[in-house]
Structure formats: structure tokens, C-alpha cells
Amino acid sequence: MKNSYFYFSYLTVMAITILAIPNIIIVPNVLAQTPAPEVENSPESSAPKTKADKLFKTGVEQFRRGTFDEALETYEQVLTIRQELGDQAGIGQTFNNIGDVYINQREYSEALDVLQKALTIRRQINDRSGIAETLNLIGFVYQRQREFSQALNLHQEALDISQGINDRSKEGESLHNIGAVKASQRQLEQALEFYQEALTIREEVGDRRNLGRTLNNMGVVYFNQGNYDKALETYQKALTVRREINDSAGVGRLLNNIGFVYRQKGENSEAIKYFQQAVAMLESVGDQRSVGRIYGFIGALYQKEGEESQALIAYEKGLEAAKVAKDKTGQLEALNYLGNAYYEIGENTKAKSTYEAALVFYQEEEDRAAEGKTMVGLGKVYDRLGENQKAKQILLKSLPINQKVGEKSVIAANMNALGEVYYTSGDYSIALNYHKLALDNLPKKEDKNAVAIAYQGMGDSLFQLKQYPQALENLEQALAIYQEIEKTAKAGKIYGQLGTILIAQEKPELAVVFYKQAVNINETMRSQESQKSLLENPETVYRNLADLLLQQERIFEAQQVLDLLKIQELDNYIGNVTGNEVTANGIKLLAAEEKILAEGAKNILNLEIDKNNLKADLSQFKSLQAKLQKSPEAALFYPLILPEKLELVLIKADGEPIHKTVEVKAEEINEAIADFRLTISNPIGDIKNSSQKLYNWLIKPIENELTKANINTIIYAPDQQLRYLPLTALYDGEKWLVERFGVNNIIAASLTNFETQPKNQPRVLAAALTEGKYQVQIGTRQVQLRPTTGKLVENLAETIPGTRKLVNSEFSSQTTINDFNNYNIVHLDTPVVLLTKQEGNGKPEDSFILFGDGDRITLRDIESWSFEIDLVVLSAAETNISGRMGNGEEIVGLGYQMQNAGAETIIASLWRVNDDSDQLMNTFYTVLQEGKSKAEALREAQINMITGKDKEGSNPYYWSSFILMGNGF
């Protein structure tokens, strides 16, 4: 009886594939059946032999799945049994397959050692077919080591033996391997000729497994020739064969290769689709090693498409798969992918820890090339984290390592990174020289991204050195490359830099063109889901653009930019604020401006713009005025704090927009706001001085315009620290502003509905936390949070019959949130902590609402809420807990999250008034029931406090804390 020994070669095509696509997934060889010489077996030996044969088949299956460590362990068990049996043919075959395992583990010296043992045994027993088989494997090892002449000699010897014994199967294998060597030598036409010969033989002998393998390799050659349609056609033929023989692993790897073709064609979504199919197939056979690599490819494509969150998910899955497969190389690749991805999206702490983990691996393995490359990433992260000196140390240490390895692109990246860190530290001349050195290391300029970074770095440095024409020349070069390689976000940044230089060159109209383009790129890309802000310090670009437009009395265009600025600042705090179809369009380019951009960013200083043709398209302005006409006695008010002045913009329901400039420094305004907040924190304080000062700056310049237009409500979009100031509490010397005007705060006009809302019968949910001790960490301090007395909730239940009360343990987060949709008014009388960047870490995860069960619901958690509520009242909210104001993003962040969840209007306190606000709230809800709007009800309640019999209650401490955000009409 003849015994069938199984052979499965996993890596035969790797040599040609690796040249075309780094890290491409390995495509397996086929399962060939090689008859072994007959041996006579005694009954005593049949049981061990049967066990060995069974284990051998298991080893083949483990190998096919890519679980090489398991296969190796199984083959070693087989080897022990066959050595005990003296089965020389079996021993030779087992050594052969062990060698193949080592090849796939890239342990080439071990592979050669074992394969040489297999060859010696096979020569001794004159196993000609086996000799050819082992010669082909040894030849493959030499092929992998790029010793092509030795590889060809061995494959030719195997071919001669196969032809001599008329073993057509082995003849086809030898021809296939010779084709692979030719492909590795880039002799692609010759490779195809050998593959075609192998294909003919495999079709002749009906060898479907190896037929599919040869078709795959031919597809790789077509790919390398750039003949993508032919590559796809050939891969599809191979895929059909693999599916016919139920070779799931082979199907998975072909799907992967098809994905690569679509990636090369730039059809990224199609590539991702095939990669995902490949992952599913390879996971089903347990090939976690290949799965890990493919997830890396998927992540890179998602990153290219700007879908950073999807990219991170893919990279993390790739790392997990590599860990399961114990694939150290795969783990390192995944760590580097993750480090780069975290760096790109600004997750600097995560990027740092990821790079550091990879660096430890590389140092242990003494992989100097990878170590040097990873150090470059780590140095850039340290610079981002503000540890400039540490960044310099790491990058200066990595430079000689990278120079010794000699990879030009990595040396250039190291030089560019050094340029960036010296720029950060203000050493502009040194920065300039490093970027020049980066260019010198890229003489053929093949790494276009690195070349663009170098030009950009040189432009930035030259700008700081006040060499403006040279700066523009370099930035123009960078912009052209970024546009060519479709680095849209980086191009956007360059447009912003060009605008800044043009201001310095006193070309404000031209500066507007480039600033607009920077803003528009940012808005377009941010409007796409999962995009973050793509400009560096975007608020600066928006503010500079608004300032330039106001200087040119292009008021409506400035208002549009101010609106976009509010959304951008909110996005910086909350993240994932995509705006809407209006904001996605950005700020319209005028005909003369479009003409400038059409000419291209070359010789910018010589460009001339027709100043007489800079008339704005007022259709959007008319649309905004149409929105305001829903409430004709309301006006939209935008203040803009700039370092040396305060700009005021007022938009009415009809007539021209109004612009006033107030000569006051930002420092003075912020001091007055701080003085106001400090004084009003004590109910016996007198805020009239600081309040009147602020009134004179903010309201007095537009006072006559408000009076002439019969305005009774100011729709207010505060800027920066003005968000901590209730506009109602400004004092004109005789009256508080609320006595003359109602105030309705908004985030941005483009996000606000000004329609008058129907007056629904109140259905109220009122909740309070009245007991317990709670603390919050503010920097290094522990701050005690005070529960409320619940008096407001009791009063509310008396004022509005049917109010549902929840107190303490009843007021759990789960119970309360689940009930929101049953009510149209939700009043939460519980501590709400809104933390600034200085107080927290600048993220919405630090600001929270405290529920009765002690659960904290953060502003980030509110993203998952969904309801339809007319009004949410937070009567015990608190800002500026530490006395250090930020820019107020946490206040608009609360408003936005609540509006986004479904609240039409939000009323919140800026400081804790506690139960002393019960009179105000009682009046508010009483007036609300009379059918008046929420803005009118709040104003009447505040005026009632001012003019009431309780003289103490007339102090702004008690009535001005509450601001209304959203639509109060």
C-alpha cells in the first residue's frame, strides 16, 4: 500500500509580491500529494505509523491556516515517531515540511539546515521526486535572500530531475519557481513565459490547487506591470479555482490581492470591501497573522479617506490579531500604524505610549532601522506635548542611527522633524537649515510628502525671519505638491499661512482670498463625519479673516465668518461638530477672488485683485434677515474680541448690517469681566462700576441703532470670556440692560431656529439632589459640591399641577433619562459642574451633571441622549469654580449638547444662587403658563426681582445668573 504525504508551501510567491507591495499578505502554495516509497510494516509498527500519518495531516492543516508554531510542534512529534520507526522516506518528508515552516517564519538559516537534512536523506534513498521537491524549497530560500543565481541553479536541477522521471507535477512546480525568480529580478515578460508553461502542465495533470497558485502569481506580475485590469481578470480566475476546491485560506489571500489592485487604482472603498472579505475568510481558518496585516491596510485606507475613527478601530484589531498570532513583526507594524494615527488626530499621549512600546521591541531585537524611524515619531510627539528639549534630544540621537542605516526618506523625515522642533523653540535659522538638509537627502524628490514638509518648514522659518518673498516662494512649492498628492488638509494650512504673509506685505484683499480658501477647506472637510479640525490654530485664521473683512466694511461676510468661528470653537471642545449644509459651504468666494485662485498660487506678490469687483452676494444675507423677520423686534449681535480692539456686528431684520469698532484692548475687557465675576460672587457686592464699563464697550456704540429699530430682544452670540458675563446685568448708569432688552443667547445663527414656538401645555419633570457630600477634583484641589434644598422643585410642583417630582435616590440617571420623552419641560435642581481647559483637561468628559444616585453624566454622555423637549432648566449649574476663566467653550458646549439631543431651549445658571432663586423661578413658570415665550418669561421674572419689594433680591447676584440658550421665542 502506498502512503500519501502532504506538502503545502505557503510562501512561494512572496519574492515577487514583496517588491510590488510592501507587507502584502502571503499567498499560499498548493496542497500537493507526493507518493512515498512503500515500506513493509509489521503489525507492531502499524499503530505508530497510523498515528504519525494522522499527525502529519494535522500539521499540514495547521500550516495551511498559518498557525506555524502549532504546525512545527506537530511535525516534531511526527519526526520522533518516524525516527523510532526508521521510516527514512517519512523522515525526509517531515524534515522537508519543517523547513517550509521555518521559511514562513523567516528563519532562513534554520530552514536551510533542516532542508539540507531532508535532501541528504532523499538522495540516500534515491527519492528523485522528493529531491526535486526539496531542491525547489531550498531554491526558494535563496530567492528570499536575493541570491538569484543559486536559486535558479537549484530550480533548474529540480526541473531536470522532474523531466527525467516524467514527473509532470514536479516539472510544473520547478517552472513556476523559475518564473518567481525571474519576477523577483523584474524580468516580468520571462516570468510570464515560465508561469504559462507551468500553467499548461497543471491544467494537463488536473492540479487545481497549484493551478490557482500559478494564476495568482501571474496576477502579481500583471500588477507589477501596471496592467491592473489583466491582474484582476487573472486573480478572479484563481479565485474561482480556490473556491472550487474549498481552499478558504487561498480564497482569503486572493481577496487580499484583489484589494491591493483596487487600492492601486485609487478605488479605496472597493479595496476596503475586498480587504474586509479577506479578513472574514482568513479569520474563519484561524490565520490571525494575515488578519493582523490586512487590518493595517484597511486602517491606512480609512486614514487616507479621513475616517480616523474607523482607521483606529482597524489598527487596534490588527494589533490584537498580531498578539494572538504571536507575530512580533505584525505587532510592531500595528504599533507604528497606531502611533502615526494617534499623532495625526492629535491624541498625543496615546501616540507617545504607543511609540514607546514599539521602541522597546525594536531595541530588544536590535533593529536599528526601525528603532531610528520610531524615534522620529516619538520626538515629534514630545514636541507636540510641549517637551521641546526632550524632543530635540530624541531626534538628535536618532539622526546618526538613521544616517548609518542610510534610508534617505527616513533621514529626511528626521531632518524635517528637527526643523519643526527648532522652529517651536524659536531657533528659526537652525530650523531653516534642517529643512534644507531634508531636501538634500531627497535628491530625486520621490517622497513628495517629505519634500512638501521641507518646503513648508522653510517657508515658515523664512516668514519668522521676515524674509517674506522667499517665504512665499517656498510655501507656493509646498502647496503645489500637497495639491498634487491630494493632501487637502495640509493645503488648507498653507492657504492660511499665505494669508498671514500677505497681511504682513500689506495686501489685505489678497489675504482675504487665501484665508477664505483655508476656512472653506476646513469647513468642507470638517462637515464630513469623523473629521476633526484640519487647520492648525484654526480660530486664528477665522479671527484674522473676520478682522480683515470688517476693516474693508464687508460686514455680512464678516458675520458669516464669525458664525463659523463659533462652530469651530465648539468643535475644538466637543469634537464631531459637523455643522450643517450651510456651514459646509463655508464663506463664498467672490468672482474676483475665484479668478485669483484659478491663476494658481504662484508669484503671489505680483497678483492684483480688482477691488471694485468685491461686492458680496447678498442672497445669504437676505436669507438670514428672512429668519430674523420671524421675530422682527429682535437683532443678532456678534462681538469679536481682538488683541487691540473690540469689533461689534449687529444684524437687524431689515436694513444694512451695522459695524462698530471700539478701541479697547482684549486685556482690559477680560479684566473687567473678571472683576464683574469676582464682585457678583458675593450678594452684597456692587457690580455697577465694572458692569457700566462693559456696557459702554458692548452696548453704548450700538444703542441708538437698537432704539431706532425698536429692538426688544438681543440675539447674542458672545465671544470668548464674554460667555461668562450675563448681558442682562450690564448697567447704563440708570437701568440694567434687562429692563430695556431681553437677551437670547445662541451658539451660532446657522445652528439656530428663530421660528416662534407653539405654546404647549406644560408637562414637567422636576428633580433635585438634596443630600450627601460630593467632591470634584479641580487640578490639585478637591472642591465640595453642595446639594440643593429641593425648595425649587417643591414650588414648581405647586405652580404647575401634575409635575412629577424625583428626589435623591428616585432621581437616578437611568430612571430620569428614560422618562425625558414623557415631558416637555425638564428642571434639574442639582449640581452641574462646567470646567474650563485650565480647570479640567479641556474635554467635555470633565464637565458633568450630578444625579441623585451619585452618578455623573458628562457632556460627552449627553451625545447619546435623544428626546423632544421644549425646555431644560439647570438651576444649580456653576462655571468658573476655580476663579480662572477660560474661553467659555464649556458653556456653549452644554448648550450645544442639549440642543443636539433635542432640547429647544436651555436655561442654566452661570453661578450657584441656590434657593435664593426660588422667587425668580416661581415668576418664570407663572408667566410661562400665561402663554408668553420662554425669553419673555425669563425677562419678566428678572425685572420682577429688580422692581419687587425685596430690595435684597434686586441685586444682580440673584437674578442675572440665569442665561437662556437656543430658541426662546
Side-chain angles (χ1 to χ4, degrees):
M1 172 182 177
K2 293 191 176 181
N3 300 306
S4 294
Y5 293 105
F6 297 87
Y7 167 64
F8 182 81
S9 179
Y10 194 81
L11 261 168
T12 305
V13 302
M14 183 62 182
I16 63 166
T17 309
I18 197 76
L19 292 174
I21 312 163
N23 298 323
I24 190 171
I25 296 300
I26 299 157
V27 179
N29 210 337
V30 300
L31 181 64
Q33 295 188 354
T34 308
E38 287 190 28
V39 294
E40 292 187 11
N41 298 309
S42 66
E44 291 79 10
S45 67
S46 63
K49 182 182 182 307
T50 301
K51 180 181 178 183
D53 290 347
K54 187 175 179 181
L55 279 170
F56 191 84
K57 290 179 182 179
T58 300
V60 169
E61 292 303 319
Q62 290 167 337
F63 182 83
R64 186 181 300 167
R65 292 196 303 267
T67 54
F68 301 124
D69 289 340
E70 292 178 17
L72 188 61
E73 186 178 330
T74 303
Y75 284 143
E76 284 172 348
Q77 293 179 53
V78 174
L79 184 62
T80 299
I81 296 170
R82 287 177 170 173
Q83 285 173 332
E84 289 172 355
L85 291 172
D87 178 3
Q88 291 299 101
I91 294 168
Q93 182 68 72
T94 309
F95 274 134
N96 185 85
N97 281 27
I98 290 173
D100 207 0
V101 174
Y102 281 129
I103 289 173
N104 283 276
Q105 292 179 319
R106 295 177 173 81
E107 303 284 353
Y108 297 126
S109 60
E110 288 86 347
L112 284 176
D113 181 55
V114 174
L115 289 170
Q116 195 59 54
K117 290 178 182 177
L119 187 62
T120 299
I121 291 171
R122 286 177 157 180
R123 288 191 191 281
Q124 287 172 351
I125 64 175
N126 199 30
D127 176 6
R128 304 282 286 163
S129 180
I131 291 168
E133 181 181 68
T134 304
L135 285 170
N136 273 324
L137 272 183
I138 296 172
F140 179 76
V141 175
Y142 283 118
Q143 179 188 336
R144 292 296 296 121
Q145 294 178 327
R146 307 193 66 75
E147 297 182 30
F148 297 128
S149 62
Q150 281 185 277
L152 280 173
N153 289 338
L154 289 161
H155 293 315
Q156 186 62 51
E157 184 182 349
L159 179 62
D160 293 341
I161 292 171
S162 301
Q163 290 172 336
I165 61 175
N166 198 30
D167 186 338
R168 296 287 279 167
S169 179
K170 292 295 188 298
E171 182 181 351
E173 177 64 21
S174 298
L175 289 166
H176 174 102
N177 286 332
I178 292 171
V181 175
K182 295 294 183 183
S184 295
Q185 293 177 303
R186 310 301 293 175
Q187 298 173 21
L188 301 182
E189 289 300 331
Q190 289 185 44
L192 283 174
E193 290 174 10
F194 280 103
Y195 282 141
Q196 189 58 57
E197 285 189 61
L199 195 66
T200 301
I201 291 173
R202 286 170 167 171
E203 286 174 337
E204 172 196 320
V205 300
D207 185 353
R208 302 294 286 168
R209 289 191 180 277
N210 280 320
L211 176 68
R213 174 169 148 255
T214 300
L215 283 168
N216 173 82
N217 280 28
M218 293 174 76
V220 174
V221 173
Y222 289 128
F223 178 90
N224 286 340
Q225 289 178 325
N227 191 345
Y228 301 131
D229 292 338
K230 190 69 175 175
L232 283 174
E233 178 189 333
T234 311
Y235 283 146
Q236 289 292 352
K237 287 180 181 177
L239 191 60
T240 300
V241 173
R242 292 290 190 206
R243 283 176 171 152
E244 282 176 5
I245 60 176
N246 295 318
D247 180 4
S248 297
V251 168
R253 294 179 188 101
L254 275 162
L255 289 167
N256 167 77
N257 279 10
I258 292 170
F260 268 109
V261 178
Y262 281 113
R263 187 183 80 166
Q264 198 68 16
K265 291 175 73 175
E267 298 179 32
N268 293 338
S269 60
E270 197 70 9
I272 290 171
K273 183 179 81 175
Y274 275 98
F275 283 144
Q276 287 173 334
Q277 291 177 29
V279 161
M281 191 62 70
L282 292 167
E283 280 182 331
S284 73
V285 297
D287 184 3
Q288 290 296 311
R289 181 177 180 276
S290 297
V291 166
R293 302 297 174 88
I294 299 175
Y295 271 127
F297 308 146
I298 292 171
L301 285 175
Y302 275 131
Q303 209 166 352
K304 188 175 181 181
E305 292 292 297
E307 298 185 45
E308 301 292 352
S309 60
Q310 292 292 333
L312 283 172
I313 290 168
Y315 290 147
E316 285 163 357
K317 286 182 177 178
L319 180 59
E320 188 58 35
K323 286 178 179 177
V324 171
K326 297 180 181 177
D327 177 9
K328 183 173 281 191
T329 302
Q331 289 179 55
L332 291 172
E333 285 180 0
L335 284 169
N336 275 322
Y337 278 138
L338 273 171
N340 294 338
Y342 284 135
Y343 178 82
E344 287 297 322
I345 66 170
E347 292 279 3
N348 299 318
T349 303
K350 287 183 180 178
K352 174 176 169 286
S353 61
T354 306
Y355 281 135
E356 286 174 341
L359 192 60
V360 170
F361 267 120
Y362 289 134
Q363 288 170 338
E364 287 174 355
E365 295 297 312
E366 297 184 358
D367 185 341
R368 299 290 278 172
E371 179 187 353
K373 190 174 181 179
T374 304
M375 288 173 74
V376 173
L378 186 58
K380 291 170 72 174
V381 172
Y382 271 115
D383 191 40
R384 278 254 195 98
L385 290 168
E387 298 186 50
N388 184 262
Q389 205 56 41
K390 186 78 177 279
K392 285 179 185 175
Q393 290 171 359
I394 291 171
L395 291 167
L396 288 169
K397 186 177 178 181
S398 64
L399 187 58
I401 296 173
N402 289 321
Q403 287 173 324
K404 188 172 182 180
V405 173
E407 190 177 335
K408 294 288 187 181
S409 62
V410 179
I411 297 170
N414 204 147
M415 296 289 192
N416 273 329
L418 278 164
E420 289 166 2
V421 298
Y422 276 103
Y423 181 91
T424 303
S425 63
D427 298 311
Y428 304 123
S429 296
I430 299 174
L432 179 64
N433 287 332
Y434 271 117
H435 287 303
K436 285 180 178 177
L437 288 170
L439 274 183
D440 292 343
N441 275 277
L442 296 166
K444 296 181 181 178
K445 295 183 170 55
E446 61 278 6
D447 186 345
K448 291 184 178 180
N449 186 57
V451 170
I453 291 170
Y455 278 128
Q456 184 177 356
M458 290 163 65
D460 290 344
S461 301
L462 288 162
F463 171 74
Q464 295 295 343
L465 294 167
K466 302 191 184 316
Q467 298 178 35
Y468 300 126
Q470 298 94 322
L472 280 171
E473 182 182 337
N474 282 280
L475 290 172
E476 288 165 8
Q477 294 260 37
L479 178 60
I481 297 171
Y482 284 141
Q483 289 173 326
E484 178 190 348
I485 62 178
E486 297 182 350
K487 294 281 188 179
T488 309
K490 291 187 175 181
K493 182 182 176 186
I494 298 286
Y495 279 116
Q497 292 165 305
L498 294 173
T500 303
I501 292 175
L502 288 166
I503 292 174
Q505 291 293 88
E506 298 182 352
K507 289 183 172 283
E509 290 83 9
L510 276 177
V512 165
V513 180
F514 292 99
Y515 272 147
K516 276 189 177 183
Q517 187 69 350
V519 166
N520 289 347
I521 287 173
N522 195 58
E523 290 299 326
T524 300
M525 298 192 74
R526 188 165 53 76
S527 69
Q528 300 164 10
E529 225 172 282
S530 76
Q531 285 286 355
K532 299 194 76 153
S533 172
L534 299 158
L535 294 176
E536 197 169 298
N537 300 319
E539 295 92 339
T540 302
V541 173
Y542 285 67
R543 287 176 182 278
N544 287 351
L545 175 55
D547 184 18
L548 285 174
L549 290 167
L550 289 172
Q551 287 177 35
Q552 296 169 40
E553 288 301 316
R554 296 161 66 177
I555 304 169
F556 173 61
E557 290 177 278
Q559 181 273 329
Q560 288 181 289
V561 177
L562 292 175
D563 212 57
L564 294 172
L565 170 63
K566 307 304 176 191
I567 298 167
Q568 177 57 55
E569 289 176 327
L570 180 64
D571 186 38
N572 283 350
Y573 179 69
I574 295 287
N576 301 322
V577 178
T578 56
N580 53 34
E581 65 279 0
V582 175
T583 63
N585 293 326
I587 173 75
K588 186 176 177 62
L589 286 158
L590 308 184
E593 294 169 336
E594 286 182 335
K595 185 179 178 183
I596 291 290
L597 287 176
E599 293 175 6
K602 292 181 180 178
N603 301 315
I604 289 174
L605 287 178
N606 297 324
L607 294 175
E608 293 293 335
I609 192 167
D610 182 1
K611 297 179 185 179
N612 296 319
N613 198 17
L614 292 176
K615 295 180 180 178
D617 176 1
L618 295 179
S619 59
Q620 282 183 289
F621 177 56
K622 296 299 182 185
S623 175
L624 176 60
Q625 285 193 318
K627 285 178 72 175
L628 288 172
Q629 283 165 9
K630 308 290 183 183
S631 303
E633 294 180 335
L636 185 61
F637 178 40
Y638 285 86
L640 173 66
I641 299 175
L642 295 170
E644 300 297 323
K645 59 185 176 178
L646 172 67
E647 300 282 10
L648 307 176
V649 173
L650 188 71
I651 310 287
K652 299 172 296 178
D654 52 44
E656 295 295 318
I658 295 158
H659 164 227
K660 301 289 183 179
T661 300
V662 181
E663 299 298 330
V664 57
K665 295 180 184 295
E667 185 180 352
E668 293 178 73
I669 296 171
N670 292 337
E671 283 176 1
I673 295 169
D675 182 46
F676 176 98
R677 284 297 302 249
L678 181 64
T679 307
I680 206 167
S681 64
N682 187 329
I684 62 171
D686 186 354
I687 64 164
K688 286 182 178 178
N689 287 337
S690 58
S691 179
Q692 188 169 359
K693 184 185 294 185
L694 287 159
Y695 182 94
N696 290 339
W697 292 331
L698 284 165
I699 302 300
K700 195 170 184 59
I702 59 171
E703 190 174 44
N704 289 338
E705 302 288 349
L706 292 168
T707 303
K708 282 185 209 173
N710 295 315
I711 300 301
N712 64 17
T713 301
I714 297 172
I715 303 171
Y716 181 44
D719 186 38
Q720 294 188 331
Q721 292 194 4
L722 289 172
R723 293 173 178 135
Y724 298 104
L725 174 75
L727 200 66
T728 53
L730 297 190
Y731 189 66
D732 68 1
E734 295 181 3
K735 291 183 176 181
W736 301 105
L737 183 135
V738 73
E739 295 180 85
R740 298 177 61 193
F741 307 101
V743 178
N744 189 137
N745 283 34
I746 62 168
I747 296 165
S750 55
L751 297 183
T752 305
N753 172 23
F754 296 130
E755 296 273 357
T756 301
Q757 298 304 299
K759 306 302 184 286
N760 298 314
Q761 188 67 28
R763 302 187 315 278
V764 181
L765 172 66
L769 173 64
T770 65
E771 59 185 30
K773 292 183 178 180
Y774 304 93
Q775 288 187 327
V776 60
Q777 183 78 30
I778 307 294
T780 58
R781 296 187 306 118
Q782 288 283 336
V783 175
Q784 187 81 30
L785 299 182
R786 296 167 292 149
T788 66
T789 65
K791 191 175 176 182
L792 279 177
V793 168
E794 295 295 335
N795 291 345
L796 181 50
E798 292 177 10
T799 304
I800 302 179
T803 294
R804 185 184 178 197
K805 294 188 299 180
L806 297 174
V807 179
N808 298 330
S809 61
E810 298 174 326
F811 171 36
S812 68
S813 57
Q814 185 172 358
T815 300
T816 310
I817 295 166
N818 288 342
D819 278 358
F820 277 173
N821 270 318
N822 296 322
Y823 303 92
N824 58 17
I825 296 176
V826 172
H827 188 125
L828 304 182
D829 191 32
T830 185
V832 177
V833 177
L834 299 175
L835 297 178
T836 68
K837 288 184 179 181
Q838 290 78 15
E839 291 167 335
N841 62 18
K843 293 185 178 180
E845 285 80 359
D846 294 314
S847 297
F848 62 89
I849 301 170
L850 185 62
F851 279 72
D853 56 357
D855 197 8
R856 297 183 182 186
I857 299 298
T858 71
L859 293 197
R860 178 67 68 209
D861 295 329
I862 298 175
E863 285 179 3
S864 64
W865 289 6
S866 179
F867 45 63
E868 290 185 16
I869 296 177
D870 294 342
L871 174 65
V872 173
V873 179
L874 302 168
S875 52
E878 196 163 5
T879 65
N880 195 27
I881 289 178
S882 69
R884 297 172 58 196
M885 289 181 287
N887 280 328
E889 289 101 332
E890 68 279 13
I891 300 169
V892 290
L894 169 69
Y896 176 80
Q897 293 291 67
M898 283 293 183
Q899 283 181 257
N900 212 36
E904 191 70 38
T905 313
I906 303 94
I907 293 178
S909 57
L910 293 174
W911 58 86
R912 284 284 298 272
V913 186
N914 301 320
D915 294 324
D916 295 316
S917 65
D918 61 336
Q919 182 184 336
L920 182 140
M921 281 288 117
N922 290 346
T923 306
F924 169 75
Y925 283 113
T926 300
V927 174
L928 198 62
Q929 287 190 95
E930 294 171 359
K932 293 193 176 180
S933 71
K934 288 160 277 191
E936 289 171 328
L938 182 60
R939 183 187 177 197
E940 283 199 31
Q942 290 173 322
I943 293 173
N944 183 61
M945 293 282 287
I946 296 168
T947 60
K949 295 178 181 179
D950 182 0
K951 296 301 180 186
E952 184 181 357
S954 66
N955 189 299
Y957 166 81
Y958 296 105
W959 56 261
S960 70
S961 172
F962 293 94
I963 61 169
L964 181 149
M965 295 181 279
N967 180 357
F969 298 107

